[in-house]
Structures are given as C-alpha cells and as structure tokens.
Amino acid sequence: MASKPLQEPAFLILSALAAGPLHGYGIAKDVEVSSDGRITLRVGTLYGAIDRLAAAGLVEVDHEEVVDSRLRRYYRLTAAGGVRLEAEAHRAEAQARRALERLGARRSPRTAAPSRSTGAAPSGLGTGPVPA
C-alpha cells in the first residue's frame, strides 16, 4: 500500500534539506522562498513537522553548534527521506501533467477558432478565409 501523500509544508521541508543540512530558521526561510511566500512556518509548526519527519525516519539531526549562547541544531535528509521526496516529486509531477493534458484536451481547434458568426476577423488578423 502506498504511503499517504505529504502535506505541502512537509514536502517543502524535505526539499529544503535536499540541498544540505540546515537549522530551523534556514529551513523556514527556504520554505517561504520556495513557496513564493505562500507558506510561512511558525516555530511550533516547523518543529512539529520536523519531529514527525524525524519519527518517520525522513530527517535526522546532522550536528549542533552554539551561536550567541544559543544552541543551533542542524537537520539533514536521511536516505529514506531522499527516496520519499523523490517519490512525492514524481507523484506531484504526474498529477500536474495529467491536469495539463486534460486542460489541453478541452482546447480543441473548434473551440479555439475565431467566431464566424459576426464575419469580422479578430484584431491583427487578415480577412482571408479561416483555415479548417
């Protein structure tokens, strides 16, 4: 049985970590940029998601350092996390491709042709015969 699709924030967290280890703030900024500002992860949401991803074996602590007397923990994608991210990316890509194909099928030549009822050619086009 296939696993449940990742929520977009979890997918973007894994994607951020695919580039290399990051600390929480770095992950949050990457997610915000990657989502064109649509997703801003608050601290509780970010670390809750990281905890769930870690419990699933998809991310793990890479290392820790102290910066300005504060502990900064860096996370990395595990091998299983890379496999899951790749599978999710392919799933999303296939869904997007199907949607675009279906939209393309709706745009048949008959519906895309200029209206012949008025006899007027669309602006910028000649007045010659309309190709069949």
Side-chain angles (χ1 to χ4, degrees):
M1 179 176 184
S3 57
K4 181 178 168 186
L6 292 172
Q7 295 290 322
E8 188 175 16
F11 177 83
L12 292 172
I13 289 169
L14 293 180
S15 180
L17 293 173
L22 289 170
H23 54 78
Y25 180 77
I27 295 169
K29 291 315 287 178
D30 190 279
V31 166
E32 187 173 355
V33 169
S34 294
S35 69
D36 293 325
R38 288 181 303 105
I39 298 175
T40 301
L41 297 175
R42 294 191 171 145
V43 173
T45 303
L46 171 65
Y47 288 105
I50 289 173
D51 287 345
R52 286 188 295 280
L53 292 168
L58 304 179
V59 302
E60 63 190 6
V61 174
D62 183 71
H63 68 279
E64 297 175 336
E65 66 182 10
V66 177
V67 177
D68 296 329
S69 301
R70 296 182 70 184
L71 182 65
R72 184 177 285 174
R73 182 171 290 148
Y74 286 76
Y75 299 91
R76 70 172 168 245
L77 194 62
T78 64
V83 169
R84 180 70 187 274
L85 177 60
E86 184 176 5
E88 286 290 314
H90 285 300
R91 182 190 62 76
E93 181 181 49
Q95 287 179 328
R97 189 173 38 255
R98 276 192 298 277
L100 292 170
E101 287 168 357
R102 289 174 179 169
L103 284 169
R106 290 181 57 189
R107 295 184 182 102
S108 70
R110 189 182 86 238
T111 59
S115 173
R116 295 182 187 181
S117 62
T118 63
S123 176
L125 298 179
T127 57
V130 175

